[in-house]
Amino acid sequence: MENVDNWQTKISVQQKQKIMSLVETFNKPCPRYTSYPTAKQFIPLEGSEEQIEESELYAELDGNLKTVSLYLHIPFCQQLCYYCGCHKFITQNKEKGQTYLNYLIKEIEQRAPSLPAEVQVTDIHLGGGTPTFLSDEQLQSLANALKANFNISDKCEWAIELDPRTVDSTRINNIIDIGFNRFSLGIQDFNDKTQIAINRQQSYQSIESLILAIRQRQAATTNFSINFDLVYGLPHQNQQTFMQTLENVVSLNPDRIAMFNYAHMPSMFPSQAKIKQADLPNAQLKVAILIDAINYLEMNGYRQVGLDHFVKADDNLYLAQQNETLIRNFQGYADSDTQVMLGFGVSAISDYSVAMLQNDKHLKSYYQAIDQKQTAFVKALFRSNDDKQRESLIHHLLCHLTLPIQQIPLSDYVEEWVQLKVFERQGLVKIEADKIQVSQIGQIFIRNIAQVFDSYNKLSHVKGFSNAI
Ligand SMILES: C[S@@+](CC[C@H](N)C(=O)[O-])C[C@H]1O[C@@H](n2cnc3c(N)ncnc32)[C@H](O)[C@@H]1O
Ligand code: SF4
């Protein structure tokens, strides 16, 4: 393999040295800001408050609500991946899937009528857990329930997270027949030693055959999109092993790549304790892996979008970043024209712009709430005006790597300006006449830069989040 440092790269050798010298300073707990305020700030709803009327939340939007996204959480997986930080239950019992589906459909039927009939659904996302824990027939009945209860746009994007170990080309064809056109495959890493250490073994050949099945159908029908999820910072990874993974990834030519920073928090996710600390790459090595990955993917036709996404130059996400219409949401980044997302199923979060509400995480109490024809909301956050302003700043930074100066008046953001000047001296941002521009070096530390505007999780004393690096 060639030495990456010899390439004409996006991040130069000098920039890399500077980044390395800042790693220890910024390797602190820091949110990923898929929402602001973060889910940690949600407040438990007590007693009667739990019965929040969604129609009242829609009314707050003053008739400006034209489109919504839907998120459906399928919480079951057959096997535990040790690194996993998602909300899931490990089971082999497929009957649990049918019981859950019945309740999920009931929740849809109970909540959908309060959404004004003219509001269209433009994005549907099935996530988990493992959506393909459900059989094709079960997925079909879920799709039927969505179509029967919502006004779904003809151009709607139907996305599904696919655990490659649970599907074959026959299933792929069935899933396409149901109407899915966005496929997100959990790849994580192709290296055998890493796969064993995370308890998730899947071969290159098995992924290749799934891609072929999707691409064959794509030739005959509409424009599909394939996303790969990768994770850097996993056990036994180093620059060489991860570069081999990336070579495999590029040879399979996905349209999008989400390259997540491994969030290691065994106190919150006990299965992560099965991963030995000594096998994990340290912060310096993680950043070296990340820089190599950015340079390699950029040289192979991908463009970095925001924090952790890489897409082709003609992809809607990249165009949205260029046009400043990109949004950040619980699924990461999107080019959707709506911030309103309705979440269904255990632990799912609904974002109504004025407020965010989270469903019960436990199956039993979720089922009880649905049986009693109640919503399953147990936590909420009503955004104040200050929350809205800070959310707009944080998401503008994470999406577009700039901030218009007029949005951060000195009188309202004294402490923030002091910190921004420190970042400027460190080479993370450039303060220009009309805007703050995040530098190439700053992009690596973009979570830390965004954190300056977080009034709940100040830089100095934040706990309960994964490290920024
Ligand atoms: C909610 S999971 C569901 C995907 C599907 N169950 C699968 O594994 O193929 C979505 C993605 O989150 C990422 N992920 C899970 N745990 C993580 C962690 N602790 N740190 C960073 N990323 C993680 C993985 O890349 C995974 O594919
Ligand atoms: S990574 Fe995916 S398959 Fe593995 S335990 Fe988590 S949700 Fe389940």
Side-chain angles (χ1 to χ4, degrees):
M1 197 173 10
E2 249 182 291
N3 180 354
V4 183
D5 285 345
N6 295 334
W7 296 343
Q8 275 298 322
T9 53
K10 186 179 177 203
I11 301 178
S12 68
V13 177
Q14 291 74 16
Q15 286 170 331
K16 185 173 173 179
Q17 280 165 355
K18 177 76 186 163
I19 291 167
M20 288 300 181
S21 72
L22 292 170
V23 166
E24 296 314 322
T25 310
F26 291 111
N27 191 24
K28 304 212 166 96
C30 182
R32 294 175 58 237
Y33 297 115
T34 49
S35 74
Y36 180 81
T38 70
K40 257 192 101 182
Q41 269 68 57
F42 290 16
I43 295 163
L45 292 165
E46 306 290 349
S48 60
E49 270 179 338
E50 270 181 46
Q51 278 321 299
I52 286 178
E53 295 296 331
E54 285 182 287
S55 52
E56 288 173 17
L57 298 170
Y58 297 133
E60 296 261 352
L61 293 164
D62 270 347
N64 287 326
L65 184 63
K66 304 278 182 265
T67 59
V68 294
S69 305
L70 306 182
Y71 173 76
L72 300 113
H73 192 74
I74 313 294
F76 304 109
C77 303
Q78 278 177 276
Q79 191 179 319
L80 176 67
C81 309
Y82 295 156
Y83 62 89
C84 181
C86 309
H87 183 63
K88 78 279 170 192
F89 306 106
I90 307 299
T91 180
Q92 311 302 322
N93 183 352
K94 289 281 179 172
E95 278 175 27
K96 290 194 178 177
Q98 186 59 49
T99 308
Y100 183 79
L101 178 65
N102 295 343
Y103 278 97
L104 188 62
I105 292 177
K106 273 195 211 166
E107 189 193 1
I108 292 167
E109 289 168 350
Q110 287 172 17
R111 286 176 55 194
S114 57
L115 183 69
E118 68 279 8
V119 176
Q120 282 205 321
V121 174
T122 50
D123 306 86
I124 294 172
H125 189 109
L126 258 68
T130 306
T132 44
F133 182 88
L134 299 181
S135 67
D136 298 338
E137 293 70 30
Q138 289 169 331
L139 290 172
Q140 179 70 67
S141 46
L142 179 54
N144 293 346
L146 292 172
K147 286 179 196 160
N149 286 281
F150 288 105
N151 171 4
I152 298 180
S153 156
D154 294 342
K155 297 198 182 107
C156 182
E157 293 190 358
W158 288 73
I160 182 163
E161 291 172 11
L162 299 176
D163 175 343
R165 299 166 301 170
T166 61
V167 284
D168 56 15
S169 49
T170 309
R171 283 209 74 182
I172 289 285
N173 277 298
N174 294 339
I175 287 168
I176 292 171
D177 288 339
I178 295 169
F180 288 96
N181 50 26
R182 298 279 182 277
F183 311 94
S184 181
L185 279 74
I187 305 292
Q188 327 310 353
D189 192 304
F190 278 115
N191 183 270
D192 289 340
K193 207 171 165 191
T194 297
Q195 288 195 358
I196 291 168
I198 60 175
N199 197 35
R200 183 181 176 120
Q201 287 174 271
Q202 47 191 29
S203 69
Y204 176 87
Q205 289 71 24
S206 66
I207 313 282
E208 189 179 33
S209 68
L210 298 180
I211 303 297
L212 280 175
I214 299 173
R215 294 292 186 212
Q216 261 169 18
R217 289 291 296 273
Q218 176 165 23
T221 54
T222 47
N223 189 18
F224 291 172
S225 178
I226 299 177
N227 171 75
F228 279 8
D229 281 349
L230 303 179
V231 180
Y232 71 95
L234 291 176
H236 306 296
Q237 279 178 347
N238 59 41
Q239 287 167 274
Q240 285 72 35
T241 66
F242 203 68
M243 189 53 66
Q244 275 152 12
T245 284
L246 289 176
E247 284 170 7
N248 286 336
V249 166
V250 167
S251 73
L252 293 168
N253 197 23
D255 303 286
R256 295 179 180 176
I257 299 164
M259 216 179 78
F260 298 118
N261 178 349
Y262 174 41
H264 186 65
M265 293 185 288
S267 57
M268 278 176 76
F269 306 108
S271 72
Q272 294 184 346
K274 291 178 187 287
I275 294 178
K276 290 195 203 111
Q277 186 73 40
D279 294 340
L280 291 173
N282 64 21
Q284 293 277 339
L285 182 50
K286 275 178 92 173
V287 171
I289 291 172
L290 174 64
I291 293 172
D292 282 1
I294 294 171
N295 284 340
Y296 182 76
L297 292 175
E298 289 274 343
M299 285 187 34
N300 281 280
Y302 290 90
R303 296 285 166 268
Q304 188 176 4
V305 171
L307 179 66
D308 46 19
H309 281 48
F310 296 85
V311 303
K312 299 285 179 64
D314 59 356
D315 191 288
N316 286 346
L317 270 195
Y318 183 63
L319 301 176
Q321 174 167 280
Q322 300 298 98
N323 305 332
E324 301 210 348
T325 55
L326 188 69
I327 63 163
R328 182 126 178 99
N329 62 19
F330 292 108
Q331 268 67 60
Y333 288 97
D335 61 334
S336 166
D337 59 1
T338 180
Q339 279 280 8
V340 175
M341 172 176 294
L342 308 183
F344 295 87
V346 281
S347 79
I349 298 175
S350 298
D351 188 344
Y352 303 85
S353 186
V354 281
M356 290 180 275
L357 297 173
Q358 183 165 28
N359 271 359
D360 206 310
K361 289 186 171 178
H362 308 285
L363 288 171
K364 200 170 160 203
S365 34
Y366 168 75
Y367 293 163
Q368 270 168 359
I370 305 296
D371 274 337
Q372 290 164 6
K373 302 222 170 338
Q374 294 176 351
T375 53
F377 303 135
V378 291
K379 284 185 180 179
L381 188 132
F382 286 82
R383 289 183 173 95
S384 67
N385 283 338
D386 184 60
D387 289 337
K388 285 181 196 161
Q389 276 168 23
R390 289 174 183 275
E391 175 191 40
S392 144
L393 297 173
I394 287 173
H395 282 186
H396 204 284
L397 268 173
L398 288 170
C399 290
H400 311 303
L401 306 171
T402 65
L403 266 189
I405 291 270
Q406 86 265 13
Q407 281 188 26
I408 26 175
L410 183 58
S411 51
D412 295 343
Y413 294 102
V414 177
E415 272 180 49
E416 288 80 355
W417 269 106
V418 171
Q419 187 56 48
L420 287 170
K421 300 261 183 208
V422 174
F423 286 155
E424 188 179 41
R425 286 197 292 278
Q426 288 169 323
L428 269 56
V429 300
K430 194 153 180 262
I431 302 175
E432 298 172 4
D434 58 340
K435 65 175 191 295
I436 298 203
Q437 179 69 52
V438 176
S439 69
Q440 187 62 67
I441 294 167
Q443 196 169 355
I444 301 284
F445 304 107
I446 187 69
R447 281 166 71 176
N448 307 83
I449 300 174
Q451 194 178 8
V452 168
F453 294 100
D454 184 339
S455 67
Y456 300 93
N457 302 292
K458 290 280 177 201
L459 284 171
S460 48
H461 53 261
V462 52
K463 281 197 194 128
F465 296 100
S466 59
N467 279 0
I469 308 300

